[in-house]
Amino acid sequence: MDLENQRRVKEITDKYGAENVVVVIGGAEAESAGLAAETVTAGDPTYAGPLAGVPLGLKVYHAVEPEFKAEVDAEVYEDQIGMMEMVLDVDEIVEEVSSIRNEHGKFN
Amino acid sequence: MNYSVVKGSSYVLVHAPDMVIHNGTTQTTERQLHPDSEYLKTLPEHLRSFDEVVNYLPNQVYIGNHTPAELRTYEQPWFDKKIDDASKDGKFGEILPQQEFIGLIKIVDAFDLVKLEESFTEEVRKKLSAHPLITEDMVAKLKKGEDIEQIEKLISEQGAEAIYDNRKIVGCVKRAHDIDLNLTAHVLFENLVAKASAGLTALNLIAKNNINPEEIDYVIECSEEACGDMNQRGGGNFAKAIAEFAGLTNATGSDTRGFCAAPTHALVLAASLVQAGTFKNVMVVAGGSTAKLGMNGKDHIKKGVPVLEDVVAGFATLVSENDGVSPVFRTDIVGTHKVGTGSSPQGVITSLVTEPLDRNDLKITDIDEYSVEMQNPDITKPAGAGDVPSANYKMIAALGVKRGDLEKTEMPGFIKDHGMEGWAPTQGHIPSGVPYLGFARDEIMSGKINKVMFVGKGSLFLGRMTNLFDGISIVLAKNEGKKEASEGVSEEKVRGLVAEAMRDFASHLLNE
């Protein structure tokens, strides 16, 4: 996750409280989605940004995860994400992001 | 409609290992934040030699010596595969060693900002004198060279940026102003690299396509750099500077920007300018970027891959009046990502791919090849960014399924038949649509294919002026033969015809 986005996540969390923040990620690859999820839960694994050593433990979901899908109007979801569900390796992404959330999340 | 045509394209790579270390932003950032990092220490061991860069299939495809179709015959990754008959000289261009390129940076410098060490200058002079496209007048601009002490003094005391070759300082780029951030040595270095690589690509375009440089009347430069000073940060104009270097004495030009989408924007502009009759021959050109060198170096090293982002790239193409044979730019099949399109991948692909096809009663299967963001997967996969062209083809196929053009089971077949593996270096604008233009011309003219869609996409949010995405597409198609403009009958001609008839009539009367 780039340094600017890390800073924004940190600022929003400081302002509203970690328990009130949900991060929705849309990375196209399981690996990059996993890195983003790790950054907002366990802290920046590359130790380069404002979240280095800051384990926020935020709730984090990928846009293709069933928990997020259930919260969105089905027609809007189909319009915005339906095509990408066919393109992405959904199972791999769900496994990667959910396992990081379960391991490092503090508000699940 | 009398469409414009693509007359030829050229592609150049410059091997730049020392620029990876000293000018790539991943490395310069690391040097600022963690000057003693393990990454910086081990980086030089993971850089490739010039021979390795030449003997690399994606690079051979880029300069036209192997075809994109051949990439599928080699299992990925490609960096550890040897290929036969690799050459630095290509059908579409060339691969230039760093040393000669540093000489070229000096040659394109119009303000005496580049200083090269004397013995280095002599070595470079010998090599560039043997280069078939570098003229004697160009070589003369290398001048005599400077003492290394003088160069080191400029670097340590006057803000000059060092130029390295083989890990040693061989010269520098001076700053052009004491306090103007836009004229620092760092910015000038980047801009001179963009100019030099674009200039070399322009020379290749002219030489390899038998083009008369004096007949080019407009140049559109479409890189991602900005030249200007503190009062006009991106004032321009790279296009004119490149035209001057390449001897296009009858040309003017301008710069077009749009992040990675710029080359396709430039193609649409060039095609339209020529079709409108404003200009006869428009060159679209872009040089490469030092900032992006080694961008994913950390990931490459971590995964045991050499640092593959070790080349600065350039491309150029000539768009000309319809010659009756070269493939035509179908300016009536242009797709645009509009302000109101939104940023969902579905909306983006619809606007760029299916909307222009629908307007022309074409199905997605009527386009033989889609040239999308042709990034080399050898570079992007180890960096966790996946296979970019493949993801694009999957999106086009998935949209086809949603529209009913394809069955879901036909997706893999569509991707194989209408898509390609990527081969272009991750130099931002360079991989975007245009790497296939050279091959597309050949394959359409040989009758192998009829229609190619070029799709350029750009991430505008990086400039922080808008969160909007951007993209544009255009179709290149087989030339169905030149259509003459329909000749209207002028008043003058009518008068002539009437006069002739009257004379005929009068002579008949006289004869009678």
Side-chain angles (χ1 to χ4, degrees):
Chain A
M1 185 183 279
D2 75 29
L3 309 188
E4 180 62 18
N5 278 339
Q6 289 191 35
R7 191 184 58 75
R8 286 163 77 181
V9 169
K10 189 163 186 293
E11 272 176 18
I12 288 169
T13 308
D14 289 345
K15 189 169 172 188
Y16 297 102
E19 71 280 14
N20 298 316
V21 176
V22 179
V23 180
V24 180
I25 52 179
E29 296 291 320
E31 188 182 340
S32 58
L35 281 174
E38 192 178 344
T39 306
V40 299
T41 51
D44 178 6
T46 66
Y47 289 93
L51 294 180
V54 185
L56 296 178
L58 301 180
K59 286 183 278 245
V60 56
Y61 296 92
H62 193 282
V64 296
E65 283 194 89
E67 291 90 338
F68 175 75
K69 191 174 178 176
E71 297 290 323
V72 181
D73 180 284
E75 204 174 305
V76 173
Y77 193 89
E78 186 56 30
D79 260 9
Q80 299 286 319
I81 301 177
M83 187 188 87
M84 287 311 284
E85 271 190 309
M86 263 190 269
V87 172
L88 302 179
D89 190 337
V90 171
D91 293 344
E92 201 188 349
I93 291 173
V94 170
E95 194 191 323
E96 181 75 17
V97 175
S98 62
S99 70
I100 287 168
R101 183 173 59 240
N102 294 335
E103 190 182 343
H104 301 293
K106 295 177 187 166
F107 307 99
N108 300 324
Chain B
M1 261 189 271
N2 217 355
Y3 301 113
S4 62
V5 300
V6 59
K7 280 298 246 190
S9 303
S10 64
Y11 300 90
V12 159
L13 296 172
V14 175
H15 180 225
D18 287 276
M19 293 178 198
V20 174
I21 300 172
H22 297 284
N23 307 95
T25 52
T26 298
Q27 291 67 249
T28 53
T29 307
E30 183 79 356
R31 199 164 289 115
Q32 266 187 339
L33 297 175
H34 313 289
D36 301 320
S37 85
E38 203 49 35
Y39 170 62
L40 290 174
K41 276 184 213 149
T42 57
L43 172 64
E45 298 159 26
H46 299 274
L47 291 168
R48 295 186 294 183
S49 67
F50 181 70
D51 286 344
E52 286 170 314
V53 165
V54 170
N55 200 320
Y56 181 50
L57 183 61
N59 290 350
Q60 287 295 310
V61 174
Y62 190 77
I63 62 167
N65 289 342
H66 285 265
T67 63
E70 288 172 70
L71 288 162
R72 281 217 181 101
T73 64
Y74 289 77
E75 198 187 335
Q76 291 182 26
W78 297 314
F79 67 84
D80 55 0
K81 309 282 185 299
K82 289 272 175 281
I83 44 169
D84 301 328
D85 65 24
S87 167
K88 71 179 178 59
D89 300 309
K91 183 182 171 196
F92 295 146
E94 63 179 297
I95 304 176
L96 193 75
Q98 179 174 267
Q99 200 176 51
E100 282 151 78
F101 185 64
I102 293 170
L104 195 60
I105 295 174
K106 168 74 185 164
I107 290 172
V108 304
D109 164 30
F111 280 81
D112 203 22
L113 298 167
V114 178
K115 300 289 181 194
L116 298 183
E117 193 271 323
E118 204 173 333
S119 61
F120 179 80
T121 302
E122 277 321 302
E123 266 180 72
V124 169
R125 194 191 312 278
K126 275 184 219 140
K127 289 186 176 165
L128 281 179
S129 299
H131 191 289
L133 304 182
I134 306 296
T135 63
E136 256 178 60
D137 287 351
M138 291 177 188
V139 172
K141 291 185 177 164
L142 286 170
K143 297 183 186 160
K144 188 170 165 284
E146 310 280 332
D147 291 340
I148 190 69
E149 292 78 25
Q150 177 61 19
I151 288 167
E152 280 169 351
K153 200 172 165 199
L154 286 168
I155 296 166
S156 60
E157 293 175 18
Q158 291 180 41
E161 179 122 339
I163 302 176
Y164 292 84
D165 184 54
N166 209 8
R167 320 293 179 262
K168 277 197 336 230
I169 293 178
V170 294
C172 68
V173 178
K174 294 194 300 177
R175 68 183 173 203
H177 194 278
D178 290 351
I179 49 171
D180 187 343
L181 291 177
N182 306 285
L183 294 173
T184 59
H186 171 77
V187 171
L188 289 163
F189 191 117
E190 278 189 353
N191 287 348
L192 286 166
V193 165
K195 182 184 173 185
S197 50
L200 181 66
T201 317
L203 294 181
N204 272 275
L205 178 75
I206 292 162
K208 295 204 156 70
N209 295 281
N210 204 18
I211 291 164
N212 178 356
E214 291 176 6
E215 287 179 3
I216 297 176
D217 41 10
Y218 202 78
V219 177
I220 302 175
E221 194 267 4
C222 54
S223 74
E224 295 176 285
E225 309 302 340
C227 63
D229 67 8
M230 64 170 98
N231 295 311
Q232 46 273 311
R233 191 184 307 275
N237 169 333
F238 280 103
K240 193 130 190 185
I242 295 159
E244 179 192 25
F245 167 74
L248 315 184
T249 48
N250 291 313
T252 183
S254 61
D255 301 343
T256 285
R257 292 291 174 271
F259 279 99
C260 310
T264 316
H265 276 288
L267 285 184
V268 173
L269 295 176
S272 304
L273 285 169
V274 173
Q275 193 177 324
T278 314
F279 300 109
K280 288 182 169 42
N281 297 291
V282 178
M283 180 172 80
V284 174
V285 64
S289 147
T290 49
K292 295 187 187 78
L293 292 170
M295 199 162 45
N296 295 293
K298 288 181 183 176
D299 287 317
H300 288 160
I301 291 178
K302 210 186 295 169
K303 306 246 165 91
V305 175
V307 175
L308 297 170
E309 291 160 307
D310 53 4
V311 288
V312 168
F315 96 93
T317 198
L318 186 68
V319 180
S320 296
E321 285 184 311
N322 199 338
D323 57 5
V325 288
S326 303
V328 296
F329 282 108
R330 290 287 305 266
T331 46
D332 49 343
I333 320 180
V334 167
T336 53
H337 179 275
K338 300 172 180 68
V339 170
T341 301
S343 56
S344 76
Q346 221 148 308
V348 171
I349 300 290
T350 301
S351 67
L352 297 178
V353 178
T354 55
E355 191 275 333
L357 295 180
D358 287 347
R359 260 192 287 120
N360 288 275
D361 293 325
L362 294 168
K363 295 200 297 283
I364 62 163
T365 46
D366 288 331
I367 298 294
D368 300 304
E369 295 284 358
Y370 288 87
S371 183
V372 292
E373 296 158 295
M374 302 312 299
Q375 275 100 338
N376 173 1
D378 252 14
I379 297 174
T380 56
K381 278 159 93 175
D387 184 329
V388 179
S390 165
N392 274 278
Y393 295 129
K394 279 185 196 161
M395 284 193 270
I396 296 170
L399 189 61
V401 172
K402 277 184 77 75
R403 288 159 46 89
D405 290 353
L406 290 177
E407 294 294 325
K408 199 168 177 191
T409 51
E410 292 175 311
M411 278 177 69
F414 172 87
I415 293 164
K416 188 167 169 287
D417 293 344
H418 299 263
M420 297 169 276
E421 298 293 337
W423 64 91
T426 49
Q427 289 253 296
H429 53 292
I430 293 291
S432 201
V434 290
Y436 183 57
L437 201 45
F439 295 110
R441 184 177 191 272
D442 289 354
E443 290 177 7
I444 290 175
M445 289 182 76
S446 70
K448 196 175 158 212
I449 53 172
N450 285 314
K451 287 189 183 71
V452 179
M453 180 182 273
F454 292 89
V455 185
K457 295 199 273 182
S459 303
L460 307 188
F461 70 89
L462 294 166
R464 305 298 195 268
M465 285 296 110
T466 173
N467 265 312
L468 286 177
F469 189 78
D470 187 46
I472 189 162
S473 67
I474 187 165
V475 166
L476 187 74
K478 182 173 181 260
N479 197 327
E480 302 293 348
K482 192 174 175 181
K483 292 187 188 73
E484 292 302 332
S486 61
E487 248 182 63
V489 184
S490 67
E491 194 179 331
E492 201 178 347
K493 193 156 186 181
V494 171
R495 279 186 195 177
L497 288 168
V498 170
E500 201 178 321
M502 294 289 279
R503 269 196 301 275
D504 262 7
F505 182 62
S507 65
H508 280 300
L509 285 178
L510 285 172
N511 289 341
E512 280 169 13

